Every structure is written in C-alpha cells, then in structure tokens.
Amino acid sequence: MGMRMKTDLSGKVALLAGPRDHNLEGAGAALMAEGAGIVLAETLEEVRYAVERQPRIDIAVVNAGWRKAGDFLALTNDDWADALYANFEVPVFMMQAIARKMIAGKQGGRIIVLAGIEGMLPFSGQSATGTSLTMIWSIARMAAIDLAPHGITVNIVAPGWTNQSAFSALPGETQAHILAGIPAGRAGSGQDVGAAVLMFATPAAGYLTGVILPVDGGYVLSRSDGRSMLER
Amino acid sequence: MKLVGKTALVTGAASERSIGWGIARELALEGADVAVNDIAPSEALDARAEELAAMGRRSLAVSADVTRPERVEAMFAEVVQALGHIDIVVSNAGIIRWQHFLDITPEELRAVVNVNIMGTVNVCRAAATHMIRQGNGGRIIINSSVQSDVQFPITPVYGATKKAMHTLVGALALELAPHRINVTHIAPGWVRSPLNDISPELQTPEGVEAQRRVIPLRRDGHIDEMGRAVVYLASSDGDYVTGSSIRLDGGLAISKYSL
C-alpha cells in the first residue's frame, strides 16, 4: 500500500535505562529515528541523576537484561541475589523514580519494560533468570494500574531470540534446533524489539497498558519444536 | 490412607490457623510422619508436633529461618535423622506487605523477596538434594497464592513473588523430572490465616463482607481444604502431576466484580 504510519516523537525525551544490550540499542535506534532525544542511564544512580537533571522525561525504556543459565542445583545464592537485584529490585526503583518524574511533569508518559520470554514460560536451566523476569513483568502490570490515572502507560516487551550475534555464534545444529521452535523460522533482532517499543511509545497507543508483548516470532506459542509427531 | 510410610516437612506451620498447619494435619491424617517448621522455637510449634504425635504419627518440631541456607540444611539433616528419609516437602512459609507501587521501599521489597523467593529456593534446594541422594523420587509442593494467577495493586511485591512461582516451579519440574521428583504449587485465595490478619481490607465487618462478595462461592477457604489438595499432589493420586498448580480460591481469580 506504500502507506507509512506517521510517528513524530520530535521534542520528546526518551530515557534508556539499564544494561545496554542489543534490545535496548534496538529500542533507542527506533525512538531516535522518529526524532526523540535519547538519554542513557545504565545504573539506578544514573537514572536518579538523569531524572533530577532532565527537565522532562516522556518515554522510558527499562531493561531487565541480566541473564545466567545454570541448573538449579548449581546456581548459588549469590547468583540468585544478582538475578533478583538486577532484574527486579533495580528496575522497580528505576520505574518508581521515572514515574514520579512523569507525575510531577503532569504530561503523562510511557514506560516500556524489556523482560525476556524466559519470564513467560519455564525453561530448564533458567530458574533464576526466569523467576526474576516473571517478577518484573508482573509488578510492571500492577504499576500500570496505579499509574493509569496519571496518564502513564506501562507495557512490557518480551524479546525472544533477538541477540543476532550470539545466535550466529551457535553451532549449526543448535541453531537449527532453535529455529525449529520459532514459527517465523528466523532469529529476531534488536530492530524487531525496537519496532514494538516504538509502537507503545506512539501517541496512538495511549489506550494500551499492562500489555506483555512477546517479540519472538511465535516462540512462546507452543512447546513443540514446530514439527508434528507424525512427520518424524 | 494414602501416605503410610511417607515422611513430610512443612515450613511455616506453628500457628493453628495457618495453611501450613492445615497441610501438616491432612498429611498426618493420611498416615504420613510429619515435621513441622517455623522461624523460631515456640510453644505453638511444639504443640503442633504433639498434636501430630497424638494422632499416632512420628512428628518433629524444627525451627529454622528459611532465609538462612545453613539453617535450612541443618533442619533437613535433623528431619532425616529423626524420620529416616524425606519424601514430601511443603514450602509454605511466606510473608506479605501492603503498599502501592509508588510507596514500595527497598526494605519492604527485600523482606518479601527474601522470604518468598530465597526461602523457597533454600528449601527446594535442600529438598531436591536429599531426594536425589535417596533415589526414590519425591514431591516438592510450594504454597503460592491466588496471586500467582491474578494480582492486586495493593500487594505488588508479594504478587510478583507469587506470579513467579509458575516459572520457578516449572523450571524445577523440568530439571527434577529425571529424578522422579514432582514439583507443583497450590494457589489459595482468601484464608483466615495469620498472614491475612493485618490485611487493611479485612479490618472491619464491612471489609470482610466485601471480600466475601467478590468470591463466587461466597466464603473464605479453610486450611483443611488446602491440606486436601496437598494430599492429592503428595500421594500416588498425583503421580502424573508436575509443573502445574491447583487454584483453591472459591472462584476469586475468575471474578472481576462483586456479585
């Protein structure tokens, strides 16, 4: 159709909070391409500083990007403490600081949380990562309720296999196994994540809140690896 | 009787109004020998163990703060020494705080996460380690909450720790299935246990009535009803059940409005 949705975010300030990875970079690129000014803040202290210093924050992307694979019996309580701190405590207080700023600004706002699909369904070897990610997306949905009267929406983007360089580095057999579980038949990218983040940031998305949107090519739809048992 | 010859440990079971006690008693009624735990030694905890003994079961009162892994390990050693083995572990201890999202403090957040997540992790790790060593399979059952399915904005941290039980239980069930250890959770709704005593919504007769009206079955759940579900999951009836939950809430989770 050649039609393109017009999304002008010029004049808006977008805060990118949390560890800078392919997903957060994809979000930043998408928001910047539509004219938003970008502020980077990796730690909670940096978020608090940015919130104090910036005259306004319209959009915030909060990345819960900590990951560690390991069998439950091999993970230590230090691993658990890291997971719960990085993927839950820090993003909770980032969101709180950002929300207070948006409330004071009286212009509403958009908060988008990045929390991987390991928090949407269980995986062997992902107990600490998955538990902490479920915690952050579920509390973000309760924040959505409390912040709605202030015109602030809170949504969650759940990236699947979007780390392209990590995916490319996997052995071919592993890649094939993973791809068989992705209905779309390909790994995703930070760009795919950015498109979803941008959607939640647009003025047209003001009635969407508390949504968890997997950006995963259909990976969470089924436990199957994509082939029926009859085809084997 | 479905659990003769089995031994069980239930955490957070000192109060006679607690879900933990309802579980311990129902397990014992089915023939299991049961160790009851709470955070500190108390006359109440001793009384629970004596009630179990009066039912003709071997029983044990073992205090341990579940947030301290070394105490949890010592507790398991004590239970195994006293009862010979451990077949059923119920991770029931939990705490709740009421506050809205903007009012969460780091202290409150850490307290709830520490007991509800790390306490559960410590108990599950010790349970799995012992059960694998024994080589006879086992059952790990976590008491989550109706908030594992539907959360409330007045308890955001508690709800997050409970929602996450689907993920934790699922991961444990996947990893422990080769050892024939089934991992499940029960999701109780409104029970008049000590945990709900300070609920700001339940301090007046009007509040209690409002709570009743949002529940399709129009009543609170009883601790023995929670115990019956655990008996199902712990017995051979539940042999094929792992990685899933049973919601015991009178329909609370499916009810948007007061009826």
Side-chain angles (χ1 to χ4, degrees):
Chain A
M1 303 230 281
M3 204 171 78
R4 188 176 171 282
M5 190 170 67
K6 183 86 184 83
T7 308
D8 188 9
L9 296 180
S10 55
K12 304 275 188 194
V13 176
L15 176 67
L16 303 186
R20 193 169 165 185
D21 60 11
H22 53 287
N23 293 323
L24 197 64
E25 282 178 2
L31 295 168
M32 202 157 59
E34 300 301 330
I38 303 291
V39 178
L40 292 169
E42 195 151 349
T43 66
L44 182 55
E45 290 64 37
E46 286 170 14
V47 167
R48 287 185 171 139
Y49 181 72
V51 158
E52 262 178 44
R53 216 190 49 176
Q54 291 294 325
R56 56 185 291 170
I57 292 170
D58 305 289
I59 301 157
V61 184
V62 177
N63 186 20
W66 188 94
R67 274 181 177 72
K68 180 168 181 173
D71 287 347
F72 176 71
L73 290 176
L75 291 170
T76 65
N77 276 17
D78 284 343
D79 293 329
W80 276 92
D82 288 348
L84 295 166
Y85 182 72
N87 281 349
F88 186 65
E89 181 171 334
V90 166
V92 161
F93 290 115
M94 284 177 170
M95 288 168 64
Q96 211 183 52
I98 291 160
R100 285 185 181 137
K101 174 77 172 183
M102 288 173 171
I103 291 168
K106 297 185 193 298
Q107 303 286 316
R110 301 296 165 84
I111 298 174
I112 298 125
V113 175
L114 302 181
I117 54 163
E118 299 97 320
M120 288 188 72
L121 77 174
F123 292 94
S124 180
Q126 298 287 351
S127 53
T129 305
T131 298
S132 59
L133 289 174
T134 306
M135 289 167 71
I136 192 61
W137 74 249
S138 60
I139 204 167
R141 294 185 354 145
M142 295 303 101
I145 296 174
D146 284 354
L147 299 177
H150 302 284
I152 301 166
T153 69
V154 184
N155 292 289
I156 304 103
V157 170
W161 285 94
T162 56
N163 188 343
Q164 287 218 315
S165 53
F167 184 81
S168 306
L170 293 169
E173 205 178 319
T174 310
Q175 286 189 19
H177 177 75
I178 292 165
L179 289 178
I182 304 176
R186 65 169 175 89
S189 68
Q191 235 182 325
D192 294 311
V193 174
V197 168
L198 178 62
M199 185 276 288
F200 283 125
T202 57
Y207 203 54
L208 301 182
T209 199
V211 173
I212 178 162
L213 179 62
V215 176
D216 65 344
Y219 189 74
V220 300
L221 292 175
S222 168
R223 296 295 325 194
S224 136
D225 65 0
R227 289 167 299 182
S228 93
M229 288 172 77
L230 294 172
E231 288 171 71
R232 285 172 199 202
Chain B
M1 294 207 291
K2 294 170 187 285
L3 297 171
V4 176
K6 301 289 185 188
T7 64
L9 165 67
V10 183
T11 67
S15 164
E16 61 186 346
R17 295 190 298 120
S18 68
I19 295 176
W21 171 238
I23 292 168
R25 191 172 54 195
E26 292 298 323
L27 292 172
L29 281 169
E30 291 295 338
D33 296 325
V34 181
V36 283
N37 150 277
D38 219 294
I39 189 168
S42 66
E43 283 178 19
L45 188 62
D46 290 341
R48 299 291 84 75
E50 281 159 24
E51 285 179 66
L52 297 172
M55 293 163 66
R57 305 290 169 260
R58 291 186 301 157
S59 69
L60 195 64
V62 276
S63 64
D65 178 345
V66 293
T67 67
R68 296 176 56 189
E70 75 285 357
R71 288 293 303 126
V72 171
E73 282 161 31
M75 168 173 71
F76 271 79
E78 195 180 336
V79 170
V80 168
Q81 189 171 24
L83 302 179
H85 51 100
I86 183 87
D87 307 302
I88 301 157
V89 171
V90 182
S91 175
N92 169 74
I95 63 169
I96 190 167
R97 295 286 184 272
W98 285 268
Q99 82 286 94
H100 277 277
F101 181 79
L102 289 170
D103 303 323
I104 299 168
T105 64
E107 292 70 29
E108 280 178 323
L109 179 142
R110 287 173 197 154
V112 174
V113 170
N114 205 23
V115 177
N116 295 5
I117 301 293
M118 292 315 298
T120 302
V121 165
N122 289 331
V123 169
C124 288
R125 184 190 291 121
T129 304
H130 277 273
M131 289 170 181
I132 290 170
R133 194 180 299 148
Q134 289 166 181
N136 291 314
R139 301 293 159 88
I140 299 173
I141 300 152
I142 293 169
N143 181 10
S144 60
S145 163
V146 64
Q147 291 207 37
S148 65
D149 286 329
V150 59
Q151 296 157 255
F152 306 111
I154 193 174
T155 51
V157 180
Y158 176 84
T161 64
K162 296 306 185 175
K163 188 85 194 172
M165 286 304 117
H166 285 294
T167 313
L168 178 61
V169 163
L172 287 177
L174 288 166
E175 293 186 28
L176 299 176
H179 303 285
R180 292 185 297 114
I181 300 168
N182 296 16
V183 189
T184 53
H185 59 123
I186 62 163
W190 176 34
V191 174
R192 294 190 199 216
S193 62
L195 182 126
N196 275 324
D197 282 353
I198 54 163
S199 168
E201 291 170 323
L202 298 172
Q203 297 307 307
T204 62
E206 295 74 30
V208 170
E209 182 52 28
Q211 180 78 356
R212 206 190 313 279
R213 275 158 46 93
V214 84
I215 297 171
L217 292 183
R218 294 290 181 109
R219 66 170 177 87
D220 53 317
H222 305 150
I223 59 172
D224 55 321
E225 294 175 306
M226 310 303 134
R228 296 304 302 167
V230 171
V231 165
Y232 165 76
L233 294 169
S235 71
S236 62
D237 289 345
D239 273 353
Y240 203 54
V241 183
T242 195
S244 58
S245 67
I246 299 177
R247 199 170 64 217
L248 303 150
D249 69 340
L252 174 59
I254 57 166
S255 153
K256 172 75 177 174
Y257 295 108
S258 298
L259 299 170

